Amino acid sequence: MAGISLLIFMCLLGFSTQRSTPEDTSYTAAVVEYQVQSNSTINLKNYVVLIQDASAQGADIVVFPEMTLTRRESVVVPINGALKEYPIPALQPEMYDEILVSISEAARQNQIYVVINVQEVLNCTDDATVEYCPERKLYLFNTNVVFDRNGAVIDRYRKINLFGEATRTPALTPDLGIFETDFGVTFGHYICFDLMFQVPAVQVVEKKNITDIVFTTMWFSEMPYLTAVQIQQAYAHSMNVNFLASGANNVGVGSAGSGIYSGKAGALISIMPGVPTTRLLVSKVPKVPGEVEGTYPGPIYDDPSTHDDLILITDPSLPSHVTRLLREESEDFALFDKDVLCHFQVKLRKRDGATNYRYRAAAFSGVRSFSGVATGGTRMCSVFACTGDTIDTCGKRFDKFEPNTTGIFDELRITATVPEAKVNEGLNASEAAYFPISLDTAIMPLKTNDYTFEKIMFFDLVTIITMDLKNVDAELYTFSVWGRQYTTDGQTATPPVEQNDDDGSSTGTDTTLPPATTDDDSGPGAAVTNSISVTLLVAVVMILLWQ
């Protein structure tokens, strides 16, 4: 009888006997795709139910998106003050905001780690505060808060790279978000636009040797390279980490997309809904990224027509790419821009559709704008779809989805030759990162066995990256070696260039190699001098020998 009573008590608490241990080779994670609601009381109740559901499915940790719990309300998170002595808000409810108390209680009752995101307020006019206060004023931050199984607040991370957010302040010091768990995994965590920057997205992995990342986001998807699940999977692959991404769902402004990813194995489970959706995604996660055993849910695909109402913005740097229209035949050619050389091997044919996408090959080395709120260095070699023949039609879908409108690539291989990435010794982080970017008509990346992505370094001068399509049935919008060059962040965005709007039909299978040096060697497509010209020469020789 005592045993039965104990079992009933454990069930009432939501306690899971499946809790992972340090000795286990995997743990169970849950992320929430959460439809944005304006009522914080409703959100809090919904969160508690989702925490219970995650625990009931054996999850050790559940992650909620950016800014879907509090919209205008602010929460005090005194992690350097009261929380040091009284870390469990559920046990001192009079000391803390209702949100911290309720989530603490839910984490405690359900014995699960919980990550939420809130608008945090810091009152620096209060002489009693122990927080760092550069000015005597009120500060608002975009903040992750982490609770352990006992309901204790164990970490707080303030967003470093704000996406506009005019009323908020970036983290006053660039502290990395890191927390340990009782199942033997140490997590890094950061927020939305942070993913695009060396600090914290690269630094937290490389400096701290982190293998598991928590990501809270309200992403605004951008074609052709930065839709939500597309970049989530690509980051996990390139950084070789487990990546727990929880996305806000508001399709009217383009926010959607969540998933759990494991290194080069790709999505353990992911979703990119085109309609209003709240969904709990749960999966086992191997503690060694990419070493997946057994079955797992995999990507959840929606009918592509459901994405007609999902707002998708377009990369504003496309007119600055050096591009060329692809022909519907076999082609073998190269494009280059400054210090990036792109070799394309393509065999393209048309589907039996009334209206079809055109495709451009592109090379780019420059600086792009992120919706006018920041700029960042980019190096890439790419093939992307266009709704017409001119560059202004690229990185877009037709207004209404129709089947059989994408091209068939019987062969698609991109070889990108780029300068070798250096390491910033002060940050202990690489100054560049390269990602396998793909996108199909479901606004999802290809599965990782649909392509190969290989890197080879030569002479500490260049890196040659080859991305080769294996799934000839893929209905592609994008296929790209896409890179960030962090050393040029903050510089002026690269201006547009004159585009090659013909299809290069004057020759059969031409190879477009770098032209002769000109007096102006700074422009796109121009030959360059000194070490970069040597780099290109080595690259050309290597590519030719490699074939």
Side-chain angles (χ1 to χ4, degrees):
M1 177 67 78
I4 294 174
S5 298
L6 177 61
L7 179 61
I8 293 172
F9 177 70
M10 290 166 64
C11 290
L12 288 173
L13 286 180
F15 181 85
S16 172
T17 57
Q18 299 175 347
R19 200 163 42 164
S20 300
T21 69
E23 292 72 36
D24 290 332
T25 59
S26 66
Y27 63 94
T28 301
V31 300
V32 180
E33 172 87 9
Y34 187 79
Q35 184 181 351
V36 174
Q37 306 282 338
S38 60
N39 188 307
S40 295
T41 301
I42 293 175
N43 290 330
L44 188 55
K45 290 180 180 178
N46 290 343
Y47 270 41
V48 170
V49 171
L50 288 161
I51 290 169
Q52 293 169 346
D53 289 348
S55 178
Q57 294 185 52
D60 297 289
I61 181 171
V62 59
V63 183
F64 289 88
E66 179 186 24
M67 288 297 154
T68 54
L69 180 52
T70 60
R71 301 291 291 160
R72 296 177 178 85
E73 300 85 352
S74 299
V75 178
V76 178
V77 189
I79 200 163
N80 296 317
L83 284 168
K84 278 192 170 183
E85 187 172 358
Y86 304 102
I88 305 175
L91 299 184
Q92 277 84 27
E94 72 285 351
M95 296 179 62
Y96 300 104
D97 287 282
E98 179 187 4
I99 284 171
L100 295 187
V101 173
S102 296
I103 300 299
S104 170
E105 184 174 0
R108 183 176 176 84
Q109 288 185 347
N110 292 281
Q111 289 288 286
I112 187 172
Y113 287 82
V114 180
V115 183
I116 64 170
N117 177 272
V118 298
Q119 178 169 271
E120 179 197 359
V121 61
L122 170 62
N123 184 0
C124 280
T125 64
D126 183 355
D127 293 331
T129 184
V130 295
E131 294 281 346
Y132 170 61
C133 286
E135 297 182 49
R136 293 181 64 83
K137 66 177 187 179
L138 285 175
Y139 288 95
L140 295 178
F141 303 103
N142 184 331
T143 300
N144 282 348
V145 184
V146 184
F147 300 80
D148 70 9
R149 296 191 200 271
N150 296 317
V153 175
I154 58 172
D155 199 46
R156 177 193 70 190
Y157 168 79
R158 293 168 174 168
K159 189 175 182 180
I160 296 172
N161 303 282
L162 299 182
F163 192 77
E165 304 179 59
T167 62
R168 301 188 186 114
T169 299
L172 299 175
T173 55
D175 300 322
L176 297 176
I178 298 174
F179 63 94
E180 298 178 355
T181 64
D182 63 5
F183 50 93
V185 175
T186 298
F187 286 90
H189 62 117
Y190 54 80
I191 304 165
C192 203
F193 198 35
D194 284 331
L195 177 63
M196 286 291 99
F197 295 92
Q198 182 183 27
V199 179
V202 177
Q203 187 187 39
V204 72
V205 173
E206 295 185 351
K207 181 177 181 179
K208 300 296 184 179
N209 296 316
I210 297 293
T211 58
D212 295 73
I213 298 292
V214 163
F215 180 59
T216 64
T217 184
M218 183 179 283
W219 197 259
F220 299 100
S221 283
E222 176 190 273
M223 291 181 67
Y225 310 121
L226 294 177
T227 60
V229 175
Q230 174 187 38
I231 189 60
Q232 291 168 14
Q233 177 174 296
Y235 173 88
H237 183 288
S238 289
M239 302 305 295
N240 194 30
V241 295
N242 294 320
F243 196 58
L244 282 52
S246 176
N249 182 273
N250 187 355
V251 297
V253 298
S255 293
S258 304
I260 301 171
Y261 313 85
S262 186
K264 294 174 175 56
L268 304 177
I269 185 170
S270 60
I271 188 171
M272 185 69 186
V275 295
T277 303
T278 291
R279 184 156 184 170
L280 181 70
L281 308 179
V282 182
S283 178
K284 285 279 190 182
V285 183
K287 289 184 178 177
V288 179
E291 294 191 4
V292 178
E293 297 180 354
T295 60
Y296 51 92
I300 300 167
Y301 293 98
D302 287 347
D303 187 317
S305 64
T306 64
H307 293 98
D308 289 346
D309 293 327
L310 175 65
I311 300 298
L312 297 168
I313 59 178
T314 300
D315 183 344
S317 73
L318 295 187
S320 303
H321 293 15
V322 175
T323 73
R324 169 180 154 171
L325 277 167
L326 296 182
R327 300 192 295 267
E328 291 165 3
E329 57 180 72
S330 294
E331 298 188 88
D332 189 322
F333 63 94
L335 296 174
F336 84 108
D337 186 14
K338 306 180 187 71
D339 52 2
V340 171
L341 175 65
C342 305
H343 181 210
F344 299 91
Q345 293 165 281
V346 184
K347 187 175 182 180
L348 173 64
R349 56 191 170 96
K350 187 176 181 180
R351 295 184 193 268
D352 296 328
T355 306
N356 290 82
Y357 287 96
R358 296 296 308 272
Y359 290 86
R360 280 184 180 267
F364 182 61
S365 177
V367 179
R368 59 152 295 170
S369 169
F370 293 106
S371 298
V373 304
T375 62
T378 310
R379 289 183 176 136
M380 46 71 58
C381 299
S382 179
V383 168
F384 48 74
C386 310
T387 58
D389 291 344
T390 56
I391 192 67
D392 61 295
T393 66
C394 299
K396 299 175 181 177
R397 297 169 77 241
F398 290 123
D399 290 339
K400 295 294 181 183
F401 174 79
E402 294 181 13
N404 299 319
T405 53
T406 57
I408 298 173
F409 287 91
D410 293 314
E411 180 181 14
L412 179 53
R413 174 184 287 182
I414 300 173
T415 304
T417 304
V418 296
E420 177 62 21
K422 305 300 181 184
V423 174
N424 183 312
E425 299 295 342
L427 297 175
N428 295 114
S430 299
E431 293 181 343
Y434 292 90
F435 306 93
I437 292 291
S438 61
L439 190 69
D440 66 14
T441 54
I443 318 299
M444 294 281 270
L446 299 180
K447 294 181 178 179
T448 54
N449 59 1
D450 288 339
Y451 61 89
T452 59
F453 187 78
E454 300 173 342
K455 294 190 228 179
I456 300 176
M457 183 178 69
F458 286 102
F459 309 122
D460 292 326
L461 280 176
V462 299
T463 297
I464 296 180
I465 307 170
T466 301
M467 190 170 175
D468 196 355
L469 180 67
K470 297 302 181 184
N471 179 7
V472 297
D473 296 320
E475 299 184 72
L476 285 176
Y477 286 150
T478 310
F479 197 73
S480 176
V481 176
W482 188 85
R484 281 281 284 113
Q485 181 61 39
Y486 303 110
T487 57
T488 53
D489 287 0
Q491 295 183 9
T492 302
T494 304
V497 299
E498 183 177 349
Q499 295 296 326
N500 178 8
D501 287 335
D502 64 52
D503 59 4
S505 58
S506 58
T507 60
T509 55
D510 68 316
T511 300
T512 307
L513 292 176
T517 304
T518 63
D519 291 335
D520 179 9
D521 60 10
S522 62
V528 289
T529 59
N530 302 327
S531 63
I532 293 179
S533 62
V534 174
T535 297
L536 286 173
L537 177 60
V538 170
V540 171
V541 171
M542 288 296 178
I543 288 175
L544 293 177
L545 289 176
W546 203 3
Q547 303 313 310

